[in-house]
Amino acid sequence: MRAGDLLTLDLDVLGPEGEGVSEQTGTFVHVPGGYPGECVEARVEHASRQAPRAHARLASLLQPHPARRAPPCPHSDAGAVPRAHACSGCPLQALDVAVQRELKRAALVRRHGLDPGPLIASPDEWGYRWSSKRVVTGTLGHVLVGSYHRGSHTPAAMDDCRVDHPAIAAAARELQAAASALAIAPYDEATGAGDLRYAWFKTDGRDVLLTLVTAARPSRAAELLPASLTIPSGIAWSVQGGRGNAVRGDPPALLRGSPVLTVSLAGVPVDVGPLGFLQPNPGVAELAYFDLVADEGGAPHGGALAFDLYAGAGVTTALLRRGFAEVVPCEVYPESAAALGVPAEPAEVFLARQRTAGRAPELVVCNPPRGGMGPAVCAELVALAAPRLQIMSCSADALVRDLAVLQAGGYALRRLRAYDTLPHTPHLELVAWLSRETGAG
């Protein structure tokens, strides 16, 4: 198989970016715009020499999926040949949402051998996202508050994004207009020149907290925009001068209004600051939180001591304290750690310190970032040997890597559930229940 080859493919499984994948003569061919259950013609653009993998461009749709539809969002290239400047953030929206869920479940089974059963569905197909990070691009007088097209740094429009909460969509539209009118210079990642780099919007369902992320000080964006924006109840400013895609910059300064939003998650009021984490879809996330602190049958855990790793805003810490005499949270991000009243430290350092002190929790709850816990944290968990271990993961690939270490160290996977937290994307949130096998270690 070589670049330029035109292939007729039956697509079998959903890929990690929402593309259709076919195994062709031992090679997995990834076709953006195609879906499992379809027959397509695709032209190979790149074939790997190191792995049985190729990427192809959709040429024609020979047999479409019966649940295909026109993408509801006018900016989307879902279900079509990827095109420059289109938004690729919701690659599945050209399919009925119930079909999306079944394809995501089937991909988890086929790619990882994990079957969570029926997905826990989001109650809202649109307007569910309460936290949205936008990339600022464009030119003087024509600022774009959008995103990058997948796999590139080509700017993509997101005007009136259908999955963002309406308050966020309105605030982004206002920011785009104001930055254009004020001739705010968008950041140019190629040259490192420019001013406004990112905009991070959060909402509690009513108010909006906006964080402006600029490339340097002083900043015309930070100086002029707050007086021109009427929708945000609070505006903060952070500086991110490094190269790369990191959004979080220096500790934020409040420019006007309130520095926090108070969001209720699983019945727990949480104060979220300018750079603090907020679950994009709180309505579904709280269902996963309830499961994360209960046993696999839904009964609440209880006991003397529990650890809460990657505690974030402290929702699971508060839920665990309903059943445990002592709950010790761990969080590495300074803003969140300070709100929890604990030092900011990596999970492996926290676990080693607790183990050295002879602390023996009955339960450890973990909610790591997309990269997973990694070998060092998993090794510390194996050494700690807590009877019960429960993990909330936003990446199946990372969870499988972590499970391999934990299962080799004596843990058994008792149950897995999946939550459709981001409809129209391939993303799933997963909760895994593990217990220490008798005689392990």
Side-chain angles (χ1 to χ4, degrees), residues 348-413:
E348 63 270 28
V349 174
F350 169 85
L351 288 170
R353 181 167 60 82
Q354 298 291 339
R355 186 165 54 84
T356 300
R359 305 278 274 164
E362 293 117 303
L363 172 68
V364 179
V365 161
C366 313
N367 187 3
R370 179 168 293 277
M373 295 184 291
V377 174
C378 289
E380 284 293 339
L381 287 168
V382 168
L384 186 70
R388 299 297 298 260
L389 176 60
Q390 294 175 193
I391 305 168
M392 184 170 168
S393 173
C394 58
S395 167
D397 290 339
L399 178 62
V400 167
R401 290 193 298 268
D402 290 342
L403 286 177
V405 179
L406 296 169
Q407 289 172 315
Y411 280 96
L413 178 63

Short mmCIF file of all heavy atoms in Angstrom, two decimals, residues 348-413:
data_model
loop_
_atom_site.label_atom_id
_atom_site.label_comp_id
_atom_site.label_asym_id
_atom_site.label_seq_id
_atom_site.Cartn_x
_atom_site.Cartn_y
_atom_site.Cartn_z
N GLU A 348 2.26 10.58 42.51
CA GLU A 348 3.24 9.58 42.95
C GLU A 348 3.99 10.04 44.21
O GLU A 348 4.33 9.23 45.07
CB GLU A 348 4.23 9.26 41.83
CG GLU A 348 5.10 10.40 41.35
CD GLU A 348 4.48 11.19 40.21
OE1 GLU A 348 3.23 11.23 40.14
OE2 GLU A 348 5.24 11.78 39.42
N VAL A 349 4.21 11.36 44.33
CA VAL A 349 4.86 11.89 45.54
C VAL A 349 3.92 11.76 46.73
O VAL A 349 4.32 11.35 47.83
CB VAL A 349 5.27 13.36 45.31
CG1 VAL A 349 5.83 13.97 46.60
CG2 VAL A 349 6.30 13.46 44.19
N PHE A 350 2.66 12.11 46.52
CA PHE A 350 1.66 11.97 47.58
C PHE A 350 1.57 10.52 48.06
O PHE A 350 1.59 10.25 49.27
CB PHE A 350 0.31 12.45 47.06
CG PHE A 350 -0.86 12.11 47.94
CD1 PHE A 350 -1.23 12.93 48.99
CD2 PHE A 350 -1.62 10.96 47.71
CE1 PHE A 350 -2.31 12.62 49.80
CE2 PHE A 350 -2.71 10.64 48.51
CZ PHE A 350 -3.05 11.47 49.56
N LEU A 351 1.47 9.58 47.15
CA LEU A 351 1.31 8.17 47.53
C LEU A 351 2.54 7.64 48.26
O LEU A 351 2.42 6.91 49.25
CB LEU A 351 1.04 7.33 46.28
CG LEU A 351 -0.35 7.50 45.64
CD1 LEU A 351 -0.41 6.81 44.29
CD2 LEU A 351 -1.44 6.97 46.56
N ALA A 352 3.73 8.01 47.78
CA ALA A 352 4.95 7.55 48.45
C ALA A 352 5.03 8.10 49.87
O ALA A 352 5.42 7.39 50.81
CB ALA A 352 6.17 7.98 47.63
N ARG A 353 4.63 9.36 50.03
CA ARG A 353 4.65 9.98 51.35
C ARG A 353 3.65 9.31 52.29
O ARG A 353 3.97 9.01 53.46
CB ARG A 353 4.34 11.47 51.21
CG ARG A 353 4.35 12.26 52.50
CD ARG A 353 4.35 13.75 52.24
NE ARG A 353 3.18 14.20 51.49
CZ ARG A 353 2.01 14.47 52.04
NH1 ARG A 353 1.83 14.28 53.35
NH2 ARG A 353 1.00 14.91 51.30
N GLN A 354 2.45 9.03 51.79
CA GLN A 354 1.43 8.38 52.62
C GLN A 354 1.84 6.95 52.97
O GLN A 354 1.63 6.48 54.09
CB GLN A 354 0.09 8.38 51.89
CG GLN A 354 -0.47 9.77 51.59
CD GLN A 354 -0.91 10.50 52.84
OE1 GLN A 354 -1.17 9.91 53.88
NE2 GLN A 354 -1.01 11.83 52.74
N ARG A 355 2.43 6.26 52.01
CA ARG A 355 2.84 4.87 52.25
C ARG A 355 3.96 4.82 53.28
O ARG A 355 3.98 3.95 54.17
CB ARG A 355 3.27 4.23 50.93
CG ARG A 355 3.58 2.75 51.00
CD ARG A 355 3.62 2.13 49.62
NE ARG A 355 4.53 2.82 48.72
CZ ARG A 355 5.84 2.60 48.67
NH1 ARG A 355 6.40 1.72 49.47
NH2 ARG A 355 6.60 3.27 47.81
N THR A 356 4.91 5.75 53.17
CA THR A 356 6.01 5.80 54.14
C THR A 356 5.49 6.07 55.55
O THR A 356 6.04 5.55 56.54
CB THR A 356 7.01 6.90 53.74
OG1 THR A 356 7.53 6.61 52.43
CG2 THR A 356 8.16 6.99 54.73
N ALA A 357 4.41 6.82 55.63
CA ALA A 357 3.80 7.13 56.94
C ALA A 357 2.94 5.98 57.46
O ALA A 357 2.37 6.09 58.55
CB ALA A 357 2.98 8.40 56.83
N GLY A 358 2.82 4.91 56.68
CA GLY A 358 2.05 3.76 57.12
C GLY A 358 0.56 3.91 56.99
O GLY A 358 -0.22 3.18 57.64
N ARG A 359 0.13 4.81 56.15
CA ARG A 359 -1.30 5.04 55.96
C ARG A 359 -1.89 3.94 55.08
O ARG A 359 -1.33 3.58 54.04
CB ARG A 359 -1.53 6.39 55.31
CG ARG A 359 -0.89 7.55 56.08
CD ARG A 359 -1.77 7.99 57.23
NE ARG A 359 -2.75 8.96 56.78
CZ ARG A 359 -3.84 9.29 57.46
NH1 ARG A 359 -4.11 8.68 58.60
NH2 ARG A 359 -4.66 10.21 56.99
N ALA A 360 -3.05 3.41 55.47
CA ALA A 360 -3.64 2.27 54.76
C ALA A 360 -5.11 2.56 54.44
O ALA A 360 -6.00 2.21 55.22
CB ALA A 360 -3.51 1.01 55.59
N PRO A 361 -5.40 3.20 53.31
CA PRO A 361 -6.79 3.50 52.97
C PRO A 361 -7.55 2.26 52.54
O PRO A 361 -6.99 1.33 51.95
CB PRO A 361 -6.64 4.49 51.80
CG PRO A 361 -5.36 4.08 51.16
CD PRO A 361 -4.45 3.65 52.28
N GLU A 362 -8.85 2.25 52.84
CA GLU A 362 -9.70 1.17 52.33
C GLU A 362 -10.08 1.37 50.87
O GLU A 362 -10.41 0.42 50.17
CB GLU A 362 -10.98 1.07 53.17
CG GLU A 362 -10.74 0.62 54.60
CD GLU A 362 -11.13 1.68 55.61
OE1 GLU A 362 -10.62 2.82 55.54
OE2 GLU A 362 -11.98 1.37 56.47
N LEU A 363 -10.03 2.64 50.42
CA LEU A 363 -10.43 2.97 49.05
C LEU A 363 -9.54 4.09 48.53
O LEU A 363 -9.25 5.05 49.25
CB LEU A 363 -11.90 3.43 49.02
CG LEU A 363 -12.42 4.01 47.70
CD1 LEU A 363 -12.50 2.92 46.63
CD2 LEU A 363 -13.79 4.66 47.92
N VAL A 364 -9.12 3.96 47.27
CA VAL A 364 -8.44 5.04 46.56
C VAL A 364 -9.25 5.36 45.30
O VAL A 364 -9.54 4.46 44.51
CB VAL A 364 -6.99 4.69 46.18
CG1 VAL A 364 -6.35 5.86 45.43
CG2 VAL A 364 -6.17 4.35 47.41
N VAL A 365 -9.63 6.61 45.16
CA VAL A 365 -10.37 7.08 43.99
C VAL A 365 -9.41 7.93 43.14
O VAL A 365 -8.66 8.75 43.68
CB VAL A 365 -11.59 7.91 44.44
CG1 VAL A 365 -12.11 8.78 43.32
CG2 VAL A 365 -12.69 6.98 44.94
N CYS A 366 -9.43 7.72 41.84
CA CYS A 366 -8.51 8.42 40.94
C CYS A 366 -9.28 9.01 39.76
O CYS A 366 -10.07 8.30 39.14
CB CYS A 366 -7.43 7.48 40.40
SG CYS A 366 -6.64 6.43 41.63
N ASN A 367 -9.00 10.25 39.43
CA ASN A 367 -9.61 10.90 38.26
C ASN A 367 -8.52 11.63 37.49
O ASN A 367 -8.45 12.87 37.49
CB ASN A 367 -10.72 11.85 38.70
CG ASN A 367 -11.51 12.42 37.54
OD1 ASN A 367 -11.29 12.06 36.38
ND2 ASN A 367 -12.42 13.32 37.83
N PRO A 368 -7.63 10.88 36.82
CA PRO A 368 -6.45 11.49 36.19
C PRO A 368 -6.79 12.25 34.93
O PRO A 368 -7.88 12.10 34.35
CB PRO A 368 -5.58 10.27 35.88
CG PRO A 368 -6.55 9.16 35.65
CD PRO A 368 -7.67 9.42 36.64
N PRO A 369 -5.84 13.06 34.44
CA PRO A 369 -6.03 13.75 33.16
C PRO A 369 -5.96 12.77 31.99
O PRO A 369 -5.76 11.56 32.19
CB PRO A 369 -4.88 14.76 33.13
CG PRO A 369 -3.83 14.15 34.01
CD PRO A 369 -4.58 13.42 35.08
N ARG A 370 -6.07 13.31 30.78
CA ARG A 370 -6.17 12.46 29.58
C ARG A 370 -5.01 11.49 29.43
O ARG A 370 -5.17 10.38 28.93
CB ARG A 370 -6.27 13.34 28.33
CG ARG A 370 -6.36 12.55 27.03
CD ARG A 370 -6.75 13.45 25.88
NE ARG A 370 -8.11 13.94 26.04
CZ ARG A 370 -9.19 13.24 25.69
NH1 ARG A 370 -9.06 12.02 25.18
NH2 ARG A 370 -10.38 13.75 25.85
N GLY A 371 -3.83 11.86 29.87
CA GLY A 371 -2.68 10.98 29.73
C GLY A 371 -2.68 9.80 30.68
O GLY A 371 -1.82 8.92 30.59
N GLY A 372 -3.64 9.75 31.59
CA GLY A 372 -3.71 8.65 32.55
C GLY A 372 -2.77 8.85 33.72
O GLY A 372 -2.14 9.89 33.87
N MET A 373 -2.68 7.83 34.57
CA MET A 373 -1.85 7.93 35.76
C MET A 373 -0.38 7.69 35.46
O MET A 373 0.51 8.31 36.04
CB MET A 373 -2.35 6.95 36.82
CG MET A 373 -3.74 7.29 37.32
SD MET A 373 -4.35 6.24 38.64
CE MET A 373 -4.59 4.69 37.79
N GLY A 374 -0.10 6.75 34.55
CA GLY A 374 1.27 6.46 34.19
C GLY A 374 1.90 5.42 35.10
O GLY A 374 1.39 5.10 36.19
N PRO A 375 3.05 4.87 34.68
CA PRO A 375 3.68 3.75 35.41
C PRO A 375 4.07 4.08 36.84
O PRO A 375 3.93 3.25 37.72
CB PRO A 375 4.93 3.44 34.55
CG PRO A 375 4.62 3.98 33.20
CD PRO A 375 3.75 5.17 33.42
N ALA A 376 4.56 5.31 37.09
CA ALA A 376 5.04 5.64 38.44
C ALA A 376 3.88 5.64 39.44
O ALA A 376 3.99 5.08 40.55
CB ALA A 376 5.74 7.00 38.44
N VAL A 377 2.75 6.27 39.08
CA VAL A 377 1.61 6.30 39.98
C VAL A 377 1.03 4.91 40.15
O VAL A 377 0.69 4.49 41.27
CB VAL A 377 0.53 7.28 39.46
CG1 VAL A 377 -0.72 7.21 40.32
CG2 VAL A 377 1.08 8.70 39.44
N CYS A 378 0.92 4.15 39.05
CA CYS A 378 0.38 2.79 39.15
C CYS A 378 1.26 1.91 40.03
O CYS A 378 0.74 1.09 40.81
CB CYS A 378 0.22 2.19 37.75
SG CYS A 378 -1.11 2.93 36.79
N ALA A 379 2.56 2.07 39.93
CA ALA A 379 3.48 1.29 40.78
C ALA A 379 3.27 1.64 42.25
O ALA A 379 3.30 0.76 43.12
CB ALA A 379 4.92 1.53 40.36
N GLU A 380 3.08 2.92 42.53
CA GLU A 380 2.82 3.32 43.92
C GLU A 380 1.49 2.77 44.42
O GLU A 380 1.37 2.36 45.59
CB GLU A 380 2.84 4.84 44.04
CG GLU A 380 4.22 5.46 44.02
CD GLU A 380 5.05 5.11 45.24
OE1 GLU A 380 4.47 4.73 46.28
OE2 GLU A 380 6.29 5.20 45.16
N LEU A 381 0.48 2.73 43.56
CA LEU A 381 -0.81 2.17 43.96
C LEU A 381 -0.69 0.68 44.24
O LEU A 381 -1.28 0.16 45.20
CB LEU A 381 -1.84 2.41 42.86
CG LEU A 381 -2.35 3.85 42.73
CD1 LEU A 381 -3.14 4.03 41.44
CD2 LEU A 381 -3.19 4.24 43.94
N VAL A 382 0.07 -0.03 43.42
CA VAL A 382 0.29 -1.46 43.67
C VAL A 382 1.00 -1.66 45.00
O VAL A 382 0.64 -2.55 45.79
CB VAL A 382 1.10 -2.08 42.51
CG1 VAL A 382 1.58 -3.47 42.88
CG2 VAL A 382 0.25 -2.13 41.23
N ALA A 383 1.99 -0.82 45.27
CA ALA A 383 2.72 -0.95 46.55
C ALA A 383 1.83 -0.59 47.73
O ALA A 383 1.94 -1.20 48.80
CB ALA A 383 3.96 -0.05 46.52
N LEU A 384 0.94 0.39 47.56
CA LEU A 384 0.04 0.77 48.65
C LEU A 384 -0.95 -0.34 48.96
O LEU A 384 -1.31 -0.56 50.12
CB LEU A 384 -0.71 2.04 48.24
CG LEU A 384 -1.60 2.69 49.29
CD1 LEU A 384 -0.76 3.31 50.40
CD2 LEU A 384 -2.49 3.76 48.64
N ALA A 385 -1.41 -1.05 47.92
CA ALA A 385 -2.26 -2.24 48.06
C ALA A 385 -3.58 -1.98 48.77
O ALA A 385 -4.03 -2.78 49.60
CB ALA A 385 -1.49 -3.36 48.77
N ALA A 386 -4.23 -0.88 48.43
CA ALA A 386 -5.57 -0.63 48.98
C ALA A 386 -6.53 -1.70 48.48
O ALA A 386 -6.43 -2.15 47.34
CB ALA A 386 -6.06 0.75 48.56
N PRO A 387 -7.48 -2.14 49.32
CA PRO A 387 -8.40 -3.20 48.90
C PRO A 387 -9.25 -2.83 47.69
O PRO A 387 -9.57 -3.68 46.86
CB PRO A 387 -9.28 -3.44 50.13
CG PRO A 387 -8.60 -2.78 51.26
CD PRO A 387 -7.70 -1.74 50.72
N ARG A 388 -9.65 -1.56 47.59
CA ARG A 388 -10.50 -1.13 46.48
C ARG A 388 -9.87 0.09 45.80
O ARG A 388 -9.38 1.01 46.46
CB ARG A 388 -11.90 -0.77 46.98
CG ARG A 388 -12.66 -1.91 47.63
CD ARG A 388 -12.93 -3.05 46.67
NE ARG A 388 -13.74 -2.67 45.55
CZ ARG A 388 -15.05 -2.92 45.44
NH1 ARG A 388 -15.70 -3.54 46.44
NH2 ARG A 388 -15.72 -2.58 44.37
N LEU A 389 -9.93 0.07 44.47
CA LEU A 389 -9.38 1.14 43.66
C LEU A 389 -10.40 1.46 42.56
O LEU A 389 -10.86 0.55 41.86
CB LEU A 389 -8.06 0.69 43.04
CG LEU A 389 -7.34 1.62 42.07
CD1 LEU A 389 -6.98 2.93 42.75
CD2 LEU A 389 -6.08 0.95 41.54
N GLN A 390 -10.77 2.73 42.41
CA GLN A 390 -11.78 3.12 41.42
C GLN A 390 -11.27 4.30 40.62
O GLN A 390 -10.74 5.27 41.19
CB GLN A 390 -13.11 3.39 42.11
CG GLN A 390 -13.65 2.11 42.70
CD GLN A 390 -14.92 2.22 43.52
OE1 GLN A 390 -15.29 1.28 44.22
NE2 GLN A 390 -15.63 3.33 43.44
N ILE A 391 -11.39 4.19 39.29
CA ILE A 391 -10.75 5.14 38.38
C ILE A 391 -11.79 5.74 37.45
O ILE A 391 -12.60 5.03 36.87
CB ILE A 391 -9.67 4.43 37.54
CG1 ILE A 391 -8.64 3.73 38.43
CG2 ILE A 391 -8.97 5.43 36.61
CD1 ILE A 391 -7.72 2.80 37.67
N MET A 392 -11.75 7.07 37.30
CA MET A 392 -12.54 7.76 36.29
C MET A 392 -11.57 8.25 35.23
O MET A 392 -10.63 8.99 35.53
CB MET A 392 -13.30 8.92 36.92
CG MET A 392 -14.22 9.66 35.97
SD MET A 392 -15.27 10.84 36.91
CE MET A 392 -15.98 11.80 35.59
N SER A 393 -11.78 7.81 33.99
CA SER A 393 -10.81 8.09 32.93
C SER A 393 -11.50 8.73 31.74
O SER A 393 -12.59 8.32 31.34
CB SER A 393 -10.12 6.80 32.50
OG SER A 393 -9.30 7.02 31.36
N CYS A 394 -10.83 9.73 31.13
CA CYS A 394 -11.35 10.35 29.92
C CYS A 394 -10.62 9.84 28.68
O CYS A 394 -10.79 10.40 27.59
CB CYS A 394 -11.26 11.86 30.01
SG CYS A 394 -9.59 12.50 30.26
N SER A 395 -9.82 8.78 28.83
CA SER A 395 -9.10 8.21 27.69
C SER A 395 -9.05 6.70 27.84
O SER A 395 -8.42 6.19 28.77
CB SER A 395 -7.68 8.77 27.61
OG SER A 395 -6.90 8.02 26.70
N ALA A 396 -9.67 5.99 26.91
CA ALA A 396 -9.64 4.53 26.95
C ALA A 396 -8.22 4.01 26.77
O ALA A 396 -7.80 3.05 27.41
CB ALA A 396 -10.56 3.95 25.89
N ASP A 397 -7.44 4.65 25.88
CA ASP A 397 -6.06 4.22 25.65
C ASP A 397 -5.25 4.30 26.94
O ASP A 397 -4.52 3.37 27.30
CB ASP A 397 -5.40 5.09 24.58
CG ASP A 397 -5.96 4.84 23.19
OD1 ASP A 397 -6.56 3.77 22.97
OD2 ASP A 397 -5.83 5.73 22.33
N ALA A 398 -5.38 5.44 27.65
CA ALA A 398 -4.63 5.61 28.89
C ALA A 398 -5.11 4.64 29.96
O ALA A 398 -4.31 4.07 30.71
CB ALA A 398 -4.75 7.04 29.38
N LEU A 399 -6.42 4.43 30.04
CA LEU A 399 -6.95 3.50 31.04
C LEU A 399 -6.43 2.09 30.81
O LEU A 399 -6.06 1.40 31.76
CB LEU A 399 -8.48 3.51 31.00
CG LEU A 399 -9.17 2.55 31.98
CD1 LEU A 399 -8.84 2.90 33.42
CD2 LEU A 399 -10.68 2.55 31.76
N VAL A 400 -6.39 1.65 29.55
CA VAL A 400 -5.90 0.31 29.26
C VAL A 400 -4.44 0.16 29.67
O VAL A 400 -4.04 -0.87 30.23
CB VAL A 400 -6.09 -0.01 27.76
CG1 VAL A 400 -5.31 -1.25 27.36
CG2 VAL A 400 -7.57 -0.20 27.45
N ARG A 401 -3.63 1.19 29.42
CA ARG A 401 -2.22 1.14 29.85
C ARG A 401 -2.12 1.03 31.37
O ARG A 401 -1.33 0.24 31.90
CB ARG A 401 -1.48 2.37 29.35
CG ARG A 401 -1.26 2.43 27.85
CD ARG A 401 -0.26 3.51 27.49
NE ARG A 401 -0.70 4.83 27.85
CZ ARG A 401 -1.37 5.65 27.05
NH1 ARG A 401 -1.70 5.25 25.82
NH2 ARG A 401 -1.72 6.87 27.45
N ASP A 402 -2.91 1.84 32.07
CA ASP A 402 -2.87 1.80 33.54
C ASP A 402 -3.39 0.47 34.07
O ASP A 402 -2.83 -0.10 35.02
CB ASP A 402 -3.69 2.96 34.12
CG ASP A 402 -3.05 4.32 33.88
OD1 ASP A 402 -1.84 4.36 33.58
OD2 ASP A 402 -3.77 5.33 33.99
N LEU A 403 -4.45 -0.05 33.48
CA LEU A 403 -5.00 -1.33 33.93
C LEU A 403 -3.99 -2.46 33.79
O LEU A 403 -3.94 -3.37 34.63
CB LEU A 403 -6.27 -1.67 33.14
CG LEU A 403 -7.54 -0.88 33.48
CD1 LEU A 403 -8.68 -1.29 32.56
CD2 LEU A 403 -7.94 -1.08 34.94
N ALA A 404 -3.19 -2.42 32.73
CA ALA A 404 -2.20 -3.48 32.52
C ALA A 404 -1.23 -3.55 33.70
O ALA A 404 -0.89 -4.64 34.18
CB ALA A 404 -1.45 -3.25 31.22
N VAL A 405 -0.79 -2.39 34.19
CA VAL A 405 0.13 -2.35 35.33
C VAL A 405 -0.58 -2.79 36.60
O VAL A 405 -0.05 -3.58 37.40
CB VAL A 405 0.72 -0.94 35.50
CG1 VAL A 405 1.66 -0.90 36.72
CG2 VAL A 405 1.47 -0.52 34.24
N LEU A 406 -1.77 -2.29 36.81
CA LEU A 406 -2.51 -2.59 38.04
C LEU A 406 -2.92 -4.06 38.10
O LEU A 406 -2.82 -4.71 39.16
CB LEU A 406 -3.74 -1.70 38.15
CG LEU A 406 -3.45 -0.20 38.29
CD1 LEU A 406 -4.72 0.61 38.11
CD2 LEU A 406 -2.81 0.10 39.64
N GLN A 407 -3.35 -4.62 36.98
CA GLN A 407 -3.75 -6.03 36.96
C GLN A 407 -2.54 -6.94 37.15
O GLN A 407 -2.63 -7.97 37.83
CB GLN A 407 -4.49 -6.35 35.67
CG GLN A 407 -5.89 -5.71 35.64
CD GLN A 407 -6.57 -5.85 34.29
OE1 GLN A 407 -5.97 -5.63 33.25
NE2 GLN A 407 -7.85 -6.22 34.30
N ALA A 408 -1.41 -6.56 36.57
CA ALA A 408 -0.18 -7.33 36.79
C ALA A 408 0.25 -7.27 38.25
O ALA A 408 0.92 -8.19 38.76
CB ALA A 408 0.93 -6.82 35.89
N GLY A 409 -0.13 -6.20 38.94
CA GLY A 409 0.23 -6.03 40.34
C GLY A 409 -0.78 -6.60 41.32
O GLY A 409 -0.63 -6.40 42.54
N GLY A 410 -1.83 -7.26 40.82
CA GLY A 410 -2.73 -7.95 41.73
C GLY A 410 -4.13 -7.42 41.81
O GLY A 410 -4.93 -7.87 42.65
N TYR A 411 -4.49 -6.46 40.93
CA TYR A 411 -5.85 -5.95 40.94
C TYR A 411 -6.69 -6.62 39.85
O TYR A 411 -6.19 -6.95 38.78
CB TYR A 411 -5.87 -4.43 40.72
CG TYR A 411 -5.56 -3.65 41.98
CD1 TYR A 411 -4.26 -3.21 42.23
CD2 TYR A 411 -6.55 -3.37 42.92
CE1 TYR A 411 -3.96 -2.50 43.39
CE2 TYR A 411 -6.26 -2.66 44.08
CZ TYR A 411 -4.97 -2.23 44.31
OH TYR A 411 -4.69 -1.54 45.45
N ALA A 412 -7.97 -6.81 40.14
CA ALA A 412 -8.91 -7.38 39.17
C ALA A 412 -9.94 -6.33 38.81
O ALA A 412 -10.45 -5.61 39.68
CB ALA A 412 -9.60 -8.61 39.76
N LEU A 413 -10.25 -6.25 37.51
CA LEU A 413 -11.30 -5.34 37.04
C LEU A 413 -12.65 -5.98 37.28
O LEU A 413 -12.96 -7.03 36.71
CB LEU A 413 -11.09 -5.03 35.56
CG LEU A 413 -12.14 -4.12 34.89
CD1 LEU A 413 -12.13 -2.73 35.54
CD2 LEU A 413 -11.89 -4.02 33.39
#
